[in-house]
Amino acid sequence: MTSMDSLDARIVLALDDDPDATILALAQTLGVARNTVHARLRRMAAEGALKPFSRRVDPAALGYGLVAFMSLAVSQAEPESVHEGLLDLPEVIEVHYTTGDADLLAQVVAKDTTDLHRITKAILAIDGVDRTSTAISLAEVIPYRPRSLLNHLAKSGS
């Protein structure tokens, strides 16, 4: 993935301000050519710099108001089966490899604690998952916020 530059950041910020803006409107707002905006957006999308629109959806609006973080200890011999098993559970919304005591850190959403228990049992039933440790989120203090990084890049010019 190629790094974003100042203009890329300005384009994304403008889209963040007005998600319905046309390419022409973005070009006029930013004072650049329409073809430049179009080419930049296509490049960022192709390179994976832009995440899917569904990432903006709050799981609570879908009925999944409980957020938990699960540390998973997994068998090193079967990581693919663990990945496939986690992908089969729609409540597992994000997973990262980690250092330390756990091998994976999964962000999980649930309807309530009973539902979380069901999800935990389903995760433990995946071949290769040895154990889990769960922390329930009480409140989001700082939400996912790439906008501050975009502002920094847009202003720095590099």
Side-chain angles (χ1 to χ4, degrees), residues 1 9 12 25 28 30 44 50 57 63 65 68 73 81 96 105 112 117 146 157:
M1 178 182 336
V12 174
Q28 290 171 340
L30 298 171
M44 287 186 281
L50 298 178
V57 175
S81 66
H96 295 263
L105 179 66
D112 52 33
H117 187 244

Side-chain angles (χ1 to χ4, degrees), residues 49-137:
L50 298 178
K51 301 292 185 184
F53 186 80
S54 62
R55 203 168 155 103
R56 295 179 60 163
V57 175
D58 184 348
L62 303 173
Y64 294 87
L66 188 144
V67 176
F69 298 92
M70 286 188 173
S71 299
L72 283 66
V74 301
S75 167
Q76 301 303 309
E78 303 182 58
E80 291 82 19
S81 66
V82 173
H83 299 162
E84 290 169 11
L86 292 171
L87 282 169
D88 287 341
L89 297 171
E91 299 89 354
V92 176
I93 60 172
E94 191 170 18
V95 179
H96 295 263
Y97 276 114
T98 60
T99 60
D101 294 334
D103 300 304
L104 297 172
L105 179 66
Q107 184 177 0
V108 177
V109 294
K111 295 177 180 181
D112 52 33
T113 55
T114 302
D115 193 36
L116 180 60
H117 187 244
R118 175 193 59 80
I119 296 163
T120 301
K121 290 192 314 187
I123 290 173
L124 286 167
I126 297 170
D127 287 336
V129 174
D130 296 331
R131 77 181 166 278
T132 66
S133 176
T134 305
I136 295 174
S137 172

